[in-house]
Amino acid sequence: MSKASRGGRERDHLEGVRMMSDELDDALARLDRVRVPADLFGGDEAEAARRYRRLARLVHPDATGGRTRDAFIRLNALWRTYNRGDSTTITTRRHAYRLEGDPIAGDLAELYTARPESGHAARRGRPGSAPGPGRTVLLKMPRDPHDSDLLEREAVALRQLPKDGDGKFLPYVPRLVESFRHRDAATGAQRQVNVVAGLDGFHSLTAVKHAFPDGVDPRDAAWMWRRLLVGLGFAHRAGVLHGAVLPDHVLIHPEEHGLVLVDWCYSVPGCYANVDSSGRVPAMVDRYAGWYPSEVPGRRPATPATDLYMATRCITDLMGDKAPKAMRSFARGCMLPAQDRRPADAWRLLAELDELLERLYGPRRFRPFHLPVTR
């Protein structure tokens, strides 16, 4: 065999070893992230079997000199649980939820689409407590059990809003179905889980921005801004600050001109003061670090002005260069560096915005908005 041929085979061998090492690292990382078997195997039985066989080949101790024994044991425990038929069902004292499909990655949690199993609430003696026949829900489970306190904070906020707020504005926030502690059968770790009613036809402002990379027409952004101020005005009067008004957390319904503020894990609910009296936003979303007003990274108490700053940032980012001069000037007044110089009353700000919009575009009228399909 020539030196060139031998060298080529050695390079091929080394490349193969590197590829197998990368695949093994990926497999171990996936096993480490798993919260329920469906995370790993999905909902299709044939695909689940293929995933199991592939992972078993990668992490089998015989293939790694025994280094992956614990991972192999965990993989098989997850596979056994999956095949018991209850791997995709989470049962609480109130409901049984059948998980559907793969989870969606959120800021700090995995979101599972689920469907309550019919009759479970009635069997538990709680007629009418189910989300409704055929209606989907979202189960929100933190990736790190230590973030369970943020899920608890969200549950507190979502209970306080209907209790202390004006009921006609409840469509602006998710409906909490229940909140409970869940024990991971594979690891024993306990996590706080929030269940909220599903939202059909809604899209995040992030998706809207992606669909309109050159900017949204200010006349369309206007109704989103108005709805956002209404939602915040409702929350603030109920004694709750959102704490993370970011594009991923503002959902709109294009056809119905609806808006929902989601992810209240970073909120500052007034009734939570007995647990945390600091008034500070408890955490930040890292990828949006530059979107927060100075009081948040500075660990100073938040106020309604904090939410209004971030809401304004959402809308101005959406419009880009299309915003008229008067609207840009209005927005700058909402985003002043000094917290006490910014607007702090969402309802008053809404009235001022309406005056501005009438000067710019005349009397308010419904303007259809369609979100183009993007690939």
Side-chain angles (χ1 to χ4, degrees), residues 245-295:
V245 186
L246 299 166
D248 289 346
H249 302 160
V250 181
L251 309 184
I252 64 152
H253 196 294
E255 290 79 18
E256 299 177 4
H257 282 203
L259 182 143
V260 178
L261 266 167
V262 301
D263 204 340
W264 293 78
C265 292
Y266 311 93
S267 63
V268 185
C271 65
Y272 201 69
N274 63 323
V275 177
D276 178 6
S277 61
S278 70
R280 296 191 295 258
V281 174
M284 295 172 61
V285 180
D286 289 343
R287 67 181 178 280
Y288 284 108
W291 284 63
Y292 291 84
S294 60
E295 61 267 22

Side-chain angles (χ1 to χ4, degrees), residues 204-252:
S204 70
L205 291 190
T206 301
V208 176
K209 174 76 172 178
H210 183 63
F212 294 93
D214 296 327
V216 171
D217 190 307
R219 293 170 294 177
D220 295 318
W223 69 259
M224 302 177 201
W225 202 347
R226 294 191 75 260
R227 300 290 191 277
L228 188 49
L229 291 177
V230 170
L232 290 173
F234 156 64
H236 295 167
R237 282 192 179 171
V240 182
L241 304 178
H242 185 277
V245 186
L246 299 166
D248 289 346
H249 302 160
V250 181
L251 309 184
I252 64 152

